[in-house]
Amino acid sequence: MKKKKIVVGISGASGSIYAIHLLEALRKIPEIEIHGTVSDWAYENIKLETALKKNDVTALFDKYYNAHDMGANIASGSFLHDGMVIVPASMKTVASIAYGYSDNLIARSADVCLKEGRKIIMVPRETPLSTIHLENLLKLSKLGVHIIPPIPAFYNQPQSIEEIVNHTTMKILDHLEIENQLSRRWSNDK
């Protein structure tokens, strides 16, 4: 059976926990092969927000590429995959992709997804959002990018940060068409 290839880009916004949880969830699925990269600023946030070291993060990928390696497989349209997730997505990364400014491997890989018509899921992490941020996100949405802000749901009565993060991870996996039961889904059944 051919493995499903998912590309994950971690950019330098707060919220690295979302990326780590997504990578951990994907690693539990033997039919998934994870390719990806982490920006320099993402590593700074990971140091601030978690106890993980760089090697801990890179070990979560099946194929890890340096964020400055513009010759990496994921930078080419001939590299076939089943979707890209940018989590968290900084507003710099959002702007870079919206305007085709491929200054690092995350932006270049997303640019390739756009030109090849491949699925991109973006998890923007910023608040409040300026008009510029909203316009950039709208532009990407019009280009077919799935925008999934990490906004918690409370109908499932989360009891921990992990349960809140799992809800967003569930939504990302849903958009990648990967079955999962990471969080309780809405039901009006009494």
Short mmCIF file of all heavy atoms in Angstrom, two decimals, residues 123-189:
data_model
loop_
_atom_site.label_atom_id
_atom_site.label_comp_id
_atom_site.label_asym_id
_atom_site.label_seq_id
_atom_site.Cartn_x
_atom_site.Cartn_y
_atom_site.Cartn_z
N VAL A 123 -2.82 27.32 9.39
CA VAL A 123 -3.32 27.54 10.75
C VAL A 123 -2.70 28.86 11.26
O VAL A 123 -1.65 28.86 11.90
CB VAL A 123 -2.96 26.35 11.67
CG1 VAL A 123 -3.54 26.54 13.07
CG2 VAL A 123 -3.43 25.03 11.06
N PRO A 124 -3.35 29.99 10.93
CA PRO A 124 -2.78 31.29 11.28
C PRO A 124 -2.88 31.56 12.78
O PRO A 124 -3.89 31.31 13.41
CB PRO A 124 -3.64 32.28 10.49
CG PRO A 124 -4.95 31.59 10.32
CD PRO A 124 -4.64 30.13 10.24
N ARG A 125 -1.78 32.08 13.34
CA ARG A 125 -1.72 32.37 14.77
C ARG A 125 -1.32 33.81 14.97
O ARG A 125 -0.14 34.14 14.98
CB ARG A 125 -0.69 31.43 15.42
CG ARG A 125 -1.26 30.27 16.17
CD ARG A 125 -2.01 30.64 17.43
NE ARG A 125 -1.17 31.37 18.36
CZ ARG A 125 -1.45 32.58 18.82
NH1 ARG A 125 -2.54 33.22 18.47
NH2 ARG A 125 -0.64 33.17 19.66
N GLU A 126 -2.31 34.65 15.14
CA GLU A 126 -2.08 36.07 15.42
C GLU A 126 -3.38 36.64 15.95
O GLU A 126 -4.46 36.22 15.56
CB GLU A 126 -1.68 36.82 14.15
CG GLU A 126 -1.28 38.26 14.38
CD GLU A 126 -0.05 38.39 15.24
OE1 GLU A 126 1.05 38.09 14.77
OE2 GLU A 126 -0.20 38.81 16.42
N THR A 127 -3.28 37.57 16.86
CA THR A 127 -4.46 38.28 17.33
C THR A 127 -4.03 39.58 17.97
O THR A 127 -2.99 39.60 18.65
CB THR A 127 -5.31 37.42 18.29
OG1 THR A 127 -6.56 38.04 18.50
CG2 THR A 127 -4.63 37.20 19.63
N PRO A 128 -4.74 40.66 17.75
CA PRO A 128 -5.82 40.80 16.78
C PRO A 128 -5.26 40.76 15.37
O PRO A 128 -4.07 40.95 15.15
CB PRO A 128 -6.45 42.16 17.11
CG PRO A 128 -5.36 42.94 17.77
CD PRO A 128 -4.47 41.93 18.46
N LEU A 129 -6.14 40.56 14.42
CA LEU A 129 -5.75 40.55 13.01
C LEU A 129 -5.95 41.94 12.42
O LEU A 129 -7.01 42.54 12.57
CB LEU A 129 -6.59 39.53 12.24
CG LEU A 129 -6.35 38.07 12.59
CD1 LEU A 129 -7.45 37.19 12.03
CD2 LEU A 129 -4.99 37.61 12.11
N SER A 130 -4.91 42.44 11.76
CA SER A 130 -5.04 43.74 11.10
C SER A 130 -5.76 43.55 9.76
O SER A 130 -5.93 42.43 9.29
CB SER A 130 -3.65 44.36 10.86
OG SER A 130 -3.00 43.69 9.79
N THR A 131 -6.11 44.64 9.15
CA THR A 131 -6.74 44.59 7.84
C THR A 131 -5.80 43.92 6.83
O THR A 131 -6.23 43.14 5.98
CB THR A 131 -7.13 46.00 7.37
OG1 THR A 131 -8.03 46.56 8.35
CG2 THR A 131 -7.81 45.98 6.02
N ILE A 132 -4.52 44.20 6.93
CA ILE A 132 -3.54 43.57 6.03
C ILE A 132 -3.55 42.05 6.21
O ILE A 132 -3.57 41.30 5.24
CB ILE A 132 -2.12 44.15 6.26
CG1 ILE A 132 -2.07 45.61 5.82
CG2 ILE A 132 -1.06 43.32 5.53
CD1 ILE A 132 -0.80 46.33 6.23
N HIS A 133 -3.55 41.60 7.47
CA HIS A 133 -3.59 40.15 7.74
C HIS A 133 -4.84 39.53 7.12
O HIS A 133 -4.77 38.49 6.46
CB HIS A 133 -3.60 39.87 9.25
CG HIS A 133 -2.43 40.40 9.99
ND1 HIS A 133 -2.50 40.73 11.33
CD2 HIS A 133 -1.16 40.66 9.62
CE1 HIS A 133 -1.33 41.17 11.74
NE2 HIS A 133 -0.49 41.13 10.71
N LEU A 134 -5.97 40.18 7.36
CA LEU A 134 -7.24 39.65 6.84
C LEU A 134 -7.26 39.63 5.32
O LEU A 134 -7.74 38.66 4.71
CB LEU A 134 -8.41 40.48 7.38
CG LEU A 134 -8.68 40.33 8.88
CD1 LEU A 134 -9.63 41.42 9.36
CD2 LEU A 134 -9.21 38.95 9.21
N GLU A 135 -6.73 40.67 4.68
CA GLU A 135 -6.67 40.70 3.22
C GLU A 135 -5.77 39.59 2.67
O GLU A 135 -6.11 38.95 1.68
CB GLU A 135 -6.22 42.07 2.72
CG GLU A 135 -7.28 43.13 2.89
CD GLU A 135 -6.80 44.53 2.53
OE1 GLU A 135 -5.57 44.75 2.37
OE2 GLU A 135 -7.66 45.43 2.43
N ASN A 136 -4.64 39.36 3.33
CA ASN A 136 -3.75 38.28 2.89
C ASN A 136 -4.41 36.91 3.05
O ASN A 136 -4.30 36.06 2.17
CB ASN A 136 -2.43 38.32 3.66
CG ASN A 136 -1.55 39.49 3.25
OD1 ASN A 136 -1.72 40.08 2.18
ND2 ASN A 136 -0.61 39.84 4.11
N LEU A 137 -5.09 36.70 4.17
CA LEU A 137 -5.78 35.43 4.39
C LEU A 137 -6.92 35.26 3.39
O LEU A 137 -7.15 34.16 2.86
CB LEU A 137 -6.29 35.33 5.83
CG LEU A 137 -5.20 35.13 6.89
CD1 LEU A 137 -5.76 35.38 8.28
CD2 LEU A 137 -4.59 33.74 6.78
N LEU A 138 -7.65 36.35 3.12
CA LEU A 138 -8.73 36.29 2.13
C LEU A 138 -8.17 35.94 0.75
O LEU A 138 -8.74 35.10 0.03
CB LEU A 138 -9.49 37.61 2.08
CG LEU A 138 -10.60 37.70 1.03
CD1 LEU A 138 -11.68 36.64 1.28
CD2 LEU A 138 -11.21 39.10 1.02
N LYS A 139 -7.07 36.57 0.37
CA LYS A 139 -6.44 36.28 -0.91
C LYS A 139 -6.10 34.79 -1.01
O LYS A 139 -6.38 34.15 -2.02
CB LYS A 139 -5.18 37.13 -1.09
CG LYS A 139 -4.48 36.92 -2.41
CD LYS A 139 -3.32 37.88 -2.55
CE LYS A 139 -2.72 37.73 -3.95
NZ LYS A 139 -1.73 38.74 -4.22
N LEU A 140 -5.52 34.24 0.04
CA LEU A 140 -5.17 32.81 0.04
C LEU A 140 -6.41 31.93 0.00
O LEU A 140 -6.44 30.92 -0.71
CB LEU A 140 -4.29 32.48 1.24
CG LEU A 140 -2.88 33.09 1.19
CD1 LEU A 140 -2.16 32.89 2.51
CD2 LEU A 140 -2.08 32.50 0.03
N SER A 141 -7.43 32.32 0.73
CA SER A 141 -8.68 31.55 0.72
C SER A 141 -9.28 31.52 -0.69
O SER A 141 -9.74 30.47 -1.16
CB SER A 141 -9.68 32.17 1.71
OG SER A 141 -10.90 31.48 1.67
N LYS A 142 -9.23 32.65 -1.38
CA LYS A 142 -9.74 32.70 -2.75
C LYS A 142 -8.92 31.82 -3.71
O LYS A 142 -9.42 31.40 -4.74
CB LYS A 142 -9.76 34.15 -3.26
CG LYS A 142 -10.85 34.98 -2.64
CD LYS A 142 -10.80 36.41 -3.16
CE LYS A 142 -11.94 37.24 -2.59
NZ LYS A 142 -11.89 38.63 -3.09
N LEU A 143 -7.67 31.55 -3.33
CA LEU A 143 -6.81 30.68 -4.12
C LEU A 143 -6.98 29.21 -3.74
O LEU A 143 -6.30 28.35 -4.29
CB LEU A 143 -5.34 31.09 -3.95
CG LEU A 143 -4.97 32.46 -4.54
CD1 LEU A 143 -3.57 32.86 -4.13
CD2 LEU A 143 -5.10 32.43 -6.06
N GLY A 144 -7.88 28.95 -2.79
CA GLY A 144 -8.17 27.57 -2.41
C GLY A 144 -7.49 27.07 -1.15
O GLY A 144 -7.63 25.90 -0.79
N VAL A 145 -6.76 27.95 -0.47
CA VAL A 145 -6.11 27.55 0.78
C VAL A 145 -7.17 27.39 1.86
O VAL A 145 -8.05 28.25 2.01
CB VAL A 145 -5.04 28.59 1.20
CG1 VAL A 145 -4.45 28.26 2.56
CG2 VAL A 145 -3.95 28.69 0.13
N HIS A 146 -7.10 26.30 2.60
CA HIS A 146 -8.01 26.07 3.72
C HIS A 146 -7.43 26.81 4.94
O HIS A 146 -6.31 26.52 5.36
CB HIS A 146 -8.11 24.58 4.05
CG HIS A 146 -8.61 23.75 2.92
ND1 HIS A 146 -9.86 23.20 2.89
CD2 HIS A 146 -8.01 23.37 1.76
CE1 HIS A 146 -10.02 22.52 1.78
NE2 HIS A 146 -8.91 22.61 1.06
N ILE A 147 -8.19 27.74 5.48
CA ILE A 147 -7.75 28.53 6.63
C ILE A 147 -8.43 27.96 7.87
O ILE A 147 -9.66 28.00 7.99
CB ILE A 147 -8.12 30.03 6.46
CG1 ILE A 147 -7.67 30.58 5.09
CG2 ILE A 147 -7.57 30.85 7.62
CD1 ILE A 147 -6.19 30.66 4.86
N ILE A 148 -7.62 27.43 8.79
CA ILE A 148 -8.17 26.83 10.02
C ILE A 148 -7.50 27.50 11.22
O ILE A 148 -6.47 27.03 11.72
CB ILE A 148 -7.94 25.30 10.06
CG1 ILE A 148 -8.55 24.64 8.83
CG2 ILE A 148 -8.51 24.71 11.35
CD1 ILE A 148 -8.34 23.14 8.75
N PRO A 149 -8.05 28.63 11.68
CA PRO A 149 -7.47 29.26 12.87
C PRO A 149 -7.66 28.35 14.09
O PRO A 149 -8.68 27.67 14.18
CB PRO A 149 -8.28 30.55 13.04
CG PRO A 149 -9.09 30.70 11.81
CD PRO A 149 -9.19 29.36 11.17
N PRO A 150 -6.70 28.31 14.98
CA PRO A 150 -6.83 27.44 16.15
C PRO A 150 -7.76 28.04 17.20
O PRO A 150 -7.34 28.51 18.26
CB PRO A 150 -5.39 27.32 16.66
CG PRO A 150 -4.75 28.60 16.23
CD PRO A 150 -5.41 28.99 14.94
N ILE A 151 -9.04 28.03 16.88
CA ILE A 151 -10.06 28.60 17.76
C ILE A 151 -10.72 27.44 18.50
O ILE A 151 -11.27 26.54 17.87
CB ILE A 151 -11.09 29.41 16.96
CG1 ILE A 151 -10.38 30.58 16.28
CG2 ILE A 151 -12.22 29.89 17.87
CD1 ILE A 151 -11.25 31.34 15.29
N PRO A 152 -10.67 27.45 19.83
CA PRO A 152 -11.22 26.30 20.56
C PRO A 152 -12.74 26.23 20.49
O PRO A 152 -13.42 27.25 20.39
CB PRO A 152 -10.75 26.53 22.00
CG PRO A 152 -10.46 27.98 22.09
CD PRO A 152 -10.08 28.44 20.71
N ALA A 153 -13.22 25.00 20.53
CA ALA A 153 -14.66 24.77 20.67
C ALA A 153 -14.91 24.44 22.14
O ALA A 153 -14.07 23.82 22.79
CB ALA A 153 -15.09 23.60 19.80
N PHE A 154 -16.05 24.86 22.65
CA PHE A 154 -16.34 24.59 24.05
C PHE A 154 -17.55 23.69 24.24
O PHE A 154 -17.85 23.28 25.35
CB PHE A 154 -16.49 25.90 24.82
CG PHE A 154 -15.19 26.65 24.90
CD1 PHE A 154 -14.95 27.72 24.06
CD2 PHE A 154 -14.18 26.25 25.76
CE1 PHE A 154 -13.73 28.39 24.08
CE2 PHE A 154 -12.97 26.91 25.80
CZ PHE A 154 -12.74 27.99 24.97
N TYR A 155 -18.23 23.32 23.13
CA TYR A 155 -19.35 22.39 23.24
C TYR A 155 -18.88 21.02 23.72
O TYR A 155 -19.64 20.26 24.29
CB TYR A 155 -20.11 22.26 21.91
CG TYR A 155 -19.28 21.75 20.75
CD1 TYR A 155 -18.98 20.40 20.61
CD2 TYR A 155 -18.82 22.63 19.78
CE1 TYR A 155 -18.23 19.94 19.55
CE2 TYR A 155 -18.07 22.17 18.72
CZ TYR A 155 -17.77 20.82 18.60
OH TYR A 155 -17.02 20.37 17.55
N ASN A 156 -17.59 20.72 23.49
CA ASN A 156 -17.06 19.43 23.92
C ASN A 156 -16.49 19.47 25.35
O ASN A 156 -15.92 18.51 25.83
CB ASN A 156 -16.00 18.92 22.94
CG ASN A 156 -14.85 19.90 22.74
OD1 ASN A 156 -14.82 20.96 23.35
ND2 ASN A 156 -13.92 19.54 21.88
N GLN A 157 -16.65 20.60 26.00
CA GLN A 157 -16.25 20.82 27.39
C GLN A 157 -14.82 20.34 27.67
O GLN A 157 -14.59 19.44 28.47
CB GLN A 157 -17.25 20.16 28.34
CG GLN A 157 -18.63 20.74 28.19
CD GLN A 157 -19.65 20.10 29.10
OE1 GLN A 157 -19.40 19.09 29.75
NE2 GLN A 157 -20.82 20.71 29.15
N PRO A 158 -13.84 20.97 27.01
CA PRO A 158 -12.45 20.54 27.20
C PRO A 158 -12.00 20.72 28.65
O PRO A 158 -12.37 21.69 29.30
CB PRO A 158 -11.67 21.44 26.25
CG PRO A 158 -12.54 22.63 26.04
CD PRO A 158 -13.94 22.14 26.16
N GLN A 159 -11.23 19.77 29.10
CA GLN A 159 -10.75 19.78 30.48
C GLN A 159 -9.25 20.09 30.57
O GLN A 159 -8.72 20.17 31.68
CB GLN A 159 -11.03 18.42 31.14
CG GLN A 159 -12.51 18.06 31.16
CD GLN A 159 -13.34 19.06 31.96
OE1 GLN A 159 -13.07 19.30 33.13
NE2 GLN A 159 -14.33 19.66 31.31
N SER A 160 -8.60 20.24 29.42
CA SER A 160 -7.15 20.48 29.44
C SER A 160 -6.74 21.22 28.16
O SER A 160 -7.50 21.26 27.18
CB SER A 160 -6.39 19.15 29.51
OG SER A 160 -6.60 18.40 28.33
N ILE A 161 -5.53 21.76 28.19
CA ILE A 161 -4.98 22.39 27.00
C ILE A 161 -4.87 21.35 25.89
O ILE A 161 -5.17 21.63 24.73
CB ILE A 161 -3.61 23.04 27.29
CG1 ILE A 161 -3.80 24.25 28.20
CG2 ILE A 161 -2.89 23.44 26.00
CD1 ILE A 161 -2.52 24.89 28.69
N GLU A 162 -4.48 20.14 26.24
CA GLU A 162 -4.35 19.08 25.24
C GLU A 162 -5.68 18.82 24.52
O GLU A 162 -5.71 18.65 23.30
CB GLU A 162 -3.86 17.78 25.88
CG GLU A 162 -3.67 16.68 24.87
CD GLU A 162 -3.08 15.42 25.46
OE1 GLU A 162 -2.94 15.32 26.69
OE2 GLU A 162 -2.76 14.52 24.67
N GLU A 163 -6.78 18.83 25.24
CA GLU A 163 -8.08 18.63 24.60
C GLU A 163 -8.44 19.78 23.67
O GLU A 163 -9.04 19.57 22.61
CB GLU A 163 -9.18 18.43 25.66
CG GLU A 163 -9.08 17.10 26.36
CD GLU A 163 -10.19 16.86 27.37
OE1 GLU A 163 -11.21 17.59 27.35
OE2 GLU A 163 -10.03 15.96 28.20
N ILE A 164 -8.05 20.99 24.03
CA ILE A 164 -8.29 22.15 23.16
C ILE A 164 -7.46 22.02 21.89
O ILE A 164 -7.95 22.22 20.78
CB ILE A 164 -7.98 23.47 23.91
CG1 ILE A 164 -9.02 23.71 25.01
CG2 ILE A 164 -7.92 24.65 22.94
CD1 ILE A 164 -8.68 24.83 25.96
N VAL A 165 -6.19 21.66 22.04
CA VAL A 165 -5.30 21.49 20.88
C VAL A 165 -5.77 20.33 20.01
O VAL A 165 -5.76 20.42 18.78
CB VAL A 165 -3.84 21.29 21.35
CG1 VAL A 165 -2.93 20.93 20.18
CG2 VAL A 165 -3.33 22.54 22.05
N ASN A 166 -6.22 19.25 20.63
CA ASN A 166 -6.70 18.09 19.87
C ASN A 166 -7.88 18.44 18.97
O ASN A 166 -8.03 17.86 17.89
CB ASN A 166 -7.08 16.94 20.79
CG ASN A 166 -5.88 16.14 21.24
OD1 ASN A 166 -4.81 16.22 20.64
ND2 ASN A 166 -6.05 15.36 22.28
N HIS A 167 -8.70 19.39 19.39
CA HIS A 167 -9.83 19.78 18.55
C HIS A 167 -9.33 20.40 17.23
O HIS A 167 -9.84 20.08 16.15
CB HIS A 167 -10.74 20.77 19.30
CG HIS A 167 -11.94 21.17 18.50
ND1 HIS A 167 -13.04 20.36 18.37
CD2 HIS A 167 -12.20 22.27 17.75
CE1 HIS A 167 -13.93 20.94 17.59
NE2 HIS A 167 -13.44 22.11 17.21
N THR A 168 -8.32 21.26 17.32
CA THR A 168 -7.76 21.86 16.11
C THR A 168 -7.06 20.79 15.27
O THR A 168 -7.20 20.77 14.04
CB THR A 168 -6.78 23.00 16.47
OG1 THR A 168 -7.51 24.04 17.14
CG2 THR A 168 -6.10 23.57 15.23
N THR A 169 -6.33 19.88 15.92
CA THR A 169 -5.67 18.80 15.19
C THR A 169 -6.70 17.94 14.46
O THR A 169 -6.49 17.55 13.31
CB THR A 169 -4.81 17.95 16.15
OG1 THR A 169 -3.88 18.79 16.82
CG2 THR A 169 -4.05 16.87 15.40
N MET A 170 -7.83 17.66 15.11
CA MET A 170 -8.91 16.91 14.47
C MET A 170 -9.37 17.61 13.19
O MET A 170 -9.53 16.99 12.14
CB MET A 170 -10.10 16.76 15.43
CG MET A 170 -11.32 16.09 14.81
SD MET A 170 -12.78 16.15 15.88
CE MET A 170 -13.30 17.86 15.64
N LYS A 171 -9.56 18.93 13.28
CA LYS A 171 -10.01 19.71 12.12
C LYS A 171 -9.00 19.65 10.97
O LYS A 171 -9.38 19.51 9.81
CB LYS A 171 -10.25 21.17 12.50
CG LYS A 171 -11.38 21.39 13.47
CD LYS A 171 -12.68 21.02 12.84
CE LYS A 171 -13.75 22.00 13.20
NZ LYS A 171 -14.99 21.71 12.52
N ILE A 172 -7.72 19.74 11.30
CA ILE A 172 -6.67 19.66 10.28
C ILE A 172 -6.71 18.28 9.61
O ILE A 172 -6.70 18.18 8.38
CB ILE A 172 -5.28 19.93 10.89
CG1 ILE A 172 -5.19 21.38 11.40
CG2 ILE A 172 -4.18 19.65 9.86
CD1 ILE A 172 -3.99 21.65 12.29
N LEU A 173 -6.76 17.23 10.42
CA LEU A 173 -6.80 15.87 9.87
C LEU A 173 -8.05 15.66 9.02
O LEU A 173 -8.00 15.00 7.97
CB LEU A 173 -6.71 14.84 10.98
CG LEU A 173 -5.38 14.79 11.73
CD1 LEU A 173 -5.45 13.77 12.87
CD2 LEU A 173 -4.22 14.47 10.82
N ASP A 174 -9.18 16.22 9.46
CA ASP A 174 -10.41 16.13 8.66
C ASP A 174 -10.19 16.71 7.27
O ASP A 174 -10.60 16.14 6.27
CB ASP A 174 -11.57 16.87 9.34
CG ASP A 174 -12.11 16.17 10.57
OD1 ASP A 174 -11.75 15.00 10.82
OD2 ASP A 174 -12.91 16.80 11.29
N HIS A 175 -9.54 17.87 7.19
CA HIS A 175 -9.31 18.53 5.90
C HIS A 175 -8.27 17.81 5.06
O HIS A 175 -8.23 17.98 3.84
CB HIS A 175 -8.96 20.00 6.10
CG HIS A 175 -10.15 20.85 6.37
ND1 HIS A 175 -10.76 21.60 5.40
CD2 HIS A 175 -10.89 21.03 7.49
CE1 HIS A 175 -11.82 22.21 5.91
NE2 HIS A 175 -11.91 21.88 7.19
N LEU A 176 -7.44 16.99 5.70
CA LEU A 176 -6.50 16.14 4.97
C LEU A 176 -7.15 14.81 4.59
O LEU A 176 -6.52 13.95 3.99
CB LEU A 176 -5.25 15.86 5.81
CG LEU A 176 -4.29 17.02 6.01
CD1 LEU A 176 -3.25 16.69 7.07
CD2 LEU A 176 -3.62 17.40 4.68
N GLU A 177 -8.43 14.67 4.96
CA GLU A 177 -9.19 13.44 4.71
C GLU A 177 -8.54 12.23 5.38
O GLU A 177 -8.42 11.15 4.80
CB GLU A 177 -9.38 13.23 3.20
CG GLU A 177 -10.14 14.38 2.56
CD GLU A 177 -10.25 14.27 1.05
OE1 GLU A 177 -10.15 13.15 0.50
OE2 GLU A 177 -10.45 15.32 0.42
N ILE A 178 -8.13 12.45 6.64
CA ILE A 178 -7.55 11.39 7.46
C ILE A 178 -8.50 11.13 8.62
O ILE A 178 -8.75 12.03 9.43
CB ILE A 178 -6.16 11.79 7.98
CG1 ILE A 178 -5.19 12.01 6.81
CG2 ILE A 178 -5.62 10.76 8.96
CD1 ILE A 178 -3.85 12.60 7.19
N GLU A 179 -9.03 9.93 8.67
CA GLU A 179 -9.97 9.58 9.74
C GLU A 179 -9.31 9.71 11.10
O GLU A 179 -8.14 9.35 11.27
CB GLU A 179 -10.48 8.15 9.56
CG GLU A 179 -11.52 8.01 8.49
CD GLU A 179 -12.16 6.63 8.50
OE1 GLU A 179 -12.42 6.08 9.60
OE2 GLU A 179 -12.38 6.12 7.40
N ASN A 180 -10.06 10.24 12.06
CA ASN A 180 -9.52 10.39 13.41
C ASN A 180 -10.66 10.61 14.39
O ASN A 180 -11.76 11.00 14.00
CB ASN A 180 -8.54 11.57 13.46
CG ASN A 180 -9.23 12.91 13.36
OD1 ASN A 180 -9.57 13.50 14.38
ND2 ASN A 180 -9.45 13.39 12.14
N GLN A 181 -10.38 10.35 15.63
CA GLN A 181 -11.32 10.60 16.72
C GLN A 181 -10.60 11.33 17.85
O GLN A 181 -10.71 10.96 19.01
CB GLN A 181 -11.90 9.26 17.23
CG GLN A 181 -12.70 8.50 16.19
CD GLN A 181 -13.87 9.31 15.64
OE1 GLN A 181 -14.56 10.02 16.36
NE2 GLN A 181 -14.08 9.23 14.33
N LEU A 182 -9.85 12.36 17.50
CA LEU A 182 -9.04 13.07 18.48
C LEU A 182 -9.85 13.92 19.45
O LEU A 182 -9.39 14.25 20.53
CB LEU A 182 -8.02 13.96 17.78
CG LEU A 182 -6.84 13.23 17.14
CD1 LEU A 182 -5.94 14.22 16.42
CD2 LEU A 182 -6.05 12.46 18.18
N SER A 183 -11.03 14.30 19.03
CA SER A 183 -11.85 15.18 19.86
C SER A 183 -13.31 14.80 19.68
O SER A 183 -13.70 14.23 18.65
CB SER A 183 -11.63 16.63 19.45
OG SER A 183 -12.32 17.53 20.29
N ARG A 184 -14.09 15.11 20.70
CA ARG A 184 -15.52 14.83 20.60
C ARG A 184 -16.13 15.77 19.56
O ARG A 184 -15.89 16.96 19.56
CB ARG A 184 -16.19 15.05 21.96
CG ARG A 184 -17.64 14.57 22.00
CD ARG A 184 -18.17 14.53 23.42
NE ARG A 184 -18.41 15.85 23.98
CZ ARG A 184 -19.50 16.57 23.75
NH1 ARG A 184 -20.46 16.11 22.98
NH2 ARG A 184 -19.63 17.75 24.30
N ARG A 185 -16.91 15.19 18.67
CA ARG A 185 -17.55 15.95 17.61
C ARG A 185 -18.92 16.44 18.07
O ARG A 185 -19.52 15.86 18.97
CB ARG A 185 -17.66 15.10 16.35
CG ARG A 185 -16.29 14.74 15.79
CD ARG A 185 -16.40 13.83 14.60
NE ARG A 185 -15.06 13.43 14.14
CZ ARG A 185 -14.29 14.15 13.35
NH1 ARG A 185 -14.70 15.32 12.91
NH2 ARG A 185 -13.10 13.73 13.00
N TRP A 186 -19.40 17.49 17.42
CA TRP A 186 -20.69 18.04 17.74
C TRP A 186 -21.78 17.00 17.50
O TRP A 186 -21.80 16.30 16.50
CB TRP A 186 -20.99 19.27 16.90
CG TRP A 186 -22.43 19.71 17.04
CD1 TRP A 186 -23.43 19.52 16.14
CD2 TRP A 186 -23.02 20.33 18.17
NE1 TRP A 186 -24.61 20.03 16.63
CE2 TRP A 186 -24.39 20.52 17.89
CE3 TRP A 186 -22.55 20.75 19.41
CZ2 TRP A 186 -25.27 21.12 18.78
CZ3 TRP A 186 -23.41 21.34 20.28
CH2 TRP A 186 -24.76 21.52 19.97
N SER A 187 -22.67 16.91 18.45
CA SER A 187 -23.85 16.07 18.30
C SER A 187 -24.97 16.71 19.10
O SER A 187 -24.78 17.09 20.25
CB SER A 187 -23.59 14.65 18.80
OG SER A 187 -24.77 13.91 18.77
N ASN A 188 -26.14 16.79 18.49
CA ASN A 188 -27.31 17.35 19.18
C ASN A 188 -28.16 16.24 19.77
O ASN A 188 -29.26 16.49 20.23
CB ASN A 188 -28.13 18.22 18.20
CG ASN A 188 -29.08 19.13 18.92
OD1 ASN A 188 -28.94 19.38 20.12
ND2 ASN A 188 -30.08 19.62 18.20
N ASP A 189 -27.64 15.01 19.71
CA ASP A 189 -28.37 13.89 20.30
C ASP A 189 -28.41 14.05 21.81
O ASP A 189 -27.40 14.28 22.45
CB ASP A 189 -27.70 12.55 19.95
CG ASP A 189 -27.70 12.30 18.46
OD1 ASP A 189 -28.55 12.89 17.76
OD2 ASP A 189 -26.85 11.51 18.00
#
